[in-house]
Structures are given as structure tokens and as C-alpha cells.
Amino acid sequence: EQVLLPEEILESVLELTKNRLPEYGNFDPIEDIQVLTPMKKGLVGVISLNDSLQALLNPPDRHKQECNYRSHIFREGDKVMQIKNNYDKEVFNGDLGRISKIDDEDRVLVTFADVWQEREVLYQGQELEELSLSYALSIHKSQGSEFPVVIMPITTMHYVMLQRNLLYTAVTRAKKLLVLVGTKQALTISIQSNRSVRRYGHLSDRLIEEFSQAVYST
């Protein structure tokens, strides 16, 4: 088996998101494609992937306002997630939106779209702590959401997080297409791992087994 370096996995994820999958299925790189990863840190963790995907999909532009908040850069057009419940603004942990406007006072307007309507929510000052970029999400944060296309880097660097239930969650987030980028060794570890508490029963067993057979038959 060819061993992919983290740099190669990152490059593949970026190429799939920007070019190959949009060409393959006319998918929008921001609206339709979601990158999910088991880990927060590392080259193919949430933080690094978000920085790379933001630079690729929504780079600096003199026609787009941006603001710096601590270690984060938010830019008009960015894909973001609400990471805390805010009952006053009626936005909740896991809500996904797009930054529609940033003014000269670094006030950030985010448009959240749900089944019923679009909502605009204004953030300023410390309220920006409630937002994070969401080009890439942790598998844990993705629970309860579905996306047309999911890309998941899977590597033995994530060994401690390679669990069957996390793989099941990632597989079931994809409505149309799932792409795993990594090694079969890492996939095998995930499929065979029973370290976590079993919560899904026989349905997940059947889904994962059929999925793994499809992977190994290609």
C-alpha cells in the first residue's frame, strides 16, 4: 500500500474541493462540499484545514472586507459555524452560515439559512468568539447535519480517534457522495476499533461492513 504523507493528503483534499469534485458533479465547493476530520490539530486537523480552505476558496480580495479577531481572520463570504448557544440571538451550537457583510467597525453580519427561512445575525466584539470557520469541521461537530458531499482525511496520525462510531457518523453525514482520502490501514483500524461505547447497533455494523467491502473491492 502506498503511504500518503499528511502533506499529500492535504493537497488531495484541497484539489478535490476546488477542482475535481465540482468538475465531476457540478458541486459548489462552499455550499455543497464539507470536509470532516477526526482531529482538531495537525496538518489535516480542523484548524489547519480551515486556514488552507479559506485561502483557497475565499482568498483576500480588495473588494471584500475582513476583520481580525485574536487568531482568526473573518472575511466576507466565509463559511462559519455558531459554536455556542446564544438564546438572545436565537442561534445555536452547530448552526452554519455565511458572512454576508463586515463593516468598518468590524461588525460581522452572518446569514443563516434553515429549512424555513434565512436569518441575519450581527456579531461584534467578544461575540465573535461564538463563531469559527467551517470549511472543515470535526466529526463530532457535524453530528445532526447532512451535506451533499463529504470529504474525510483518514490517516494513522489520527490513531487515537480512529473509532468505528466516528467513521459511522462521517459516512452518514454524506447525502450524495463520500470521499475518503488516506490509507486503507487507517480505514481498517477505524472499522475494527471497538474502543468506544456501542450506540448504533446492527444497522451501523451492516453499513460499515458494506462500505468497507466497497472500498476494498476498488
Side-chain angles (χ1 to χ4, degrees):
E1 178 188 359
Q2 180 185 3
V3 177
L4 292 178
L5 298 173
E7 293 84 356
E8 295 173 305
I9 294 174
L10 174 60
E11 183 179 344
S12 293
V13 169
L14 298 179
E15 175 65 17
L16 283 162
T17 305
K18 176 69 173 178
N19 297 313
R20 291 177 61 186
L21 291 178
E23 291 171 2
Y24 169 77
N26 198 30
F27 298 115
D28 184 279
I30 296 179
E31 294 293 336
D32 296 331
I33 299 174
Q34 183 63 55
V35 177
L36 301 181
T37 182
M39 299 287 282
K40 185 174 182 179
K41 297 181 180 179
L43 196 59
V44 287
V46 172
I47 297 172
S48 172
L49 281 166
N50 268 319
D51 289 342
S52 297
L53 287 163
Q54 182 191 45
L56 181 70
L57 301 177
N58 192 32
D61 186 315
R62 63 188 181 90
H63 298 296
K64 291 183 178 181
Q65 288 280 96
E66 62 180 53
C67 72
N68 291 274
Y69 183 75
R70 297 188 176 176
S71 60
H72 301 291
I73 296 175
F74 293 114
R75 186 173 296 124
E76 290 177 346
D78 272 338
K79 185 177 179 178
V80 293
M81 172 180 271
Q82 175 79 16
I83 58 174
K84 296 179 180 178
N85 291 331
N86 187 321
Y87 295 96
D88 293 332
K89 294 181 182 294
E90 296 185 343
V91 285
F92 304 99
N93 187 15
D95 286 353
L96 293 167
R98 296 282 296 275
I99 294 178
S100 51
K101 185 174 178 58
I102 299 175
D103 67 15
D104 293 336
E105 297 180 3
D106 286 348
R107 292 181 296 186
V108 176
L109 189 66
V110 178
T111 301
F112 293 94
D114 55 33
V115 176
W116 298 279
Q117 62 181 357
E118 288 190 347
R119 297 173 294 130
E120 291 189 329
V121 180
L122 185 67
Y123 297 80
Q124 55 187 330
Q126 291 186 342
E127 292 174 342
L128 291 172
E129 291 182 1
E130 300 178 10
L131 291 178
S132 68
L133 294 176
S134 64
Y135 299 99
L137 297 174
S138 69
I139 295 173
H140 173 73
K141 280 288 188 183
S142 75
Q143 294 187 63
S145 300
E146 289 184 324
F147 313 96
V149 180
V150 167
I151 302 173
M152 178 182 171
I154 183 166
T155 167
T156 51
M157 285 182 61
H158 297 155
Y159 183 86
V160 70
M161 296 297 290
L162 293 178
Q163 299 175 15
R164 192 181 183 99
N165 68 322
L166 284 180
L167 179 61
Y168 172 81
T169 300
V171 169
T172 54
R173 297 313 92 196
K175 293 193 289 186
K176 295 182 179 179
L177 182 65
L178 170 73
V179 181
L180 297 183
V181 183
T183 66
K184 288 184 179 180
Q185 180 187 10
L187 177 61
T188 299
I189 292 170
S190 295
I191 292 169
Q192 295 178 347
S193 173
N194 287 310
R195 293 194 302 273
S196 59
V197 177
R198 298 177 63 85
R199 291 181 289 175
Y200 302 109
H202 296 300
L203 176 61
S204 67
D205 290 341
R206 288 175 55 193
L207 188 151
I208 293 295
E209 293 301 338
E210 290 179 10
F211 170 71
S212 62
Q213 289 171 15
V215 170
Y216 290 125
S217 65
T218 59

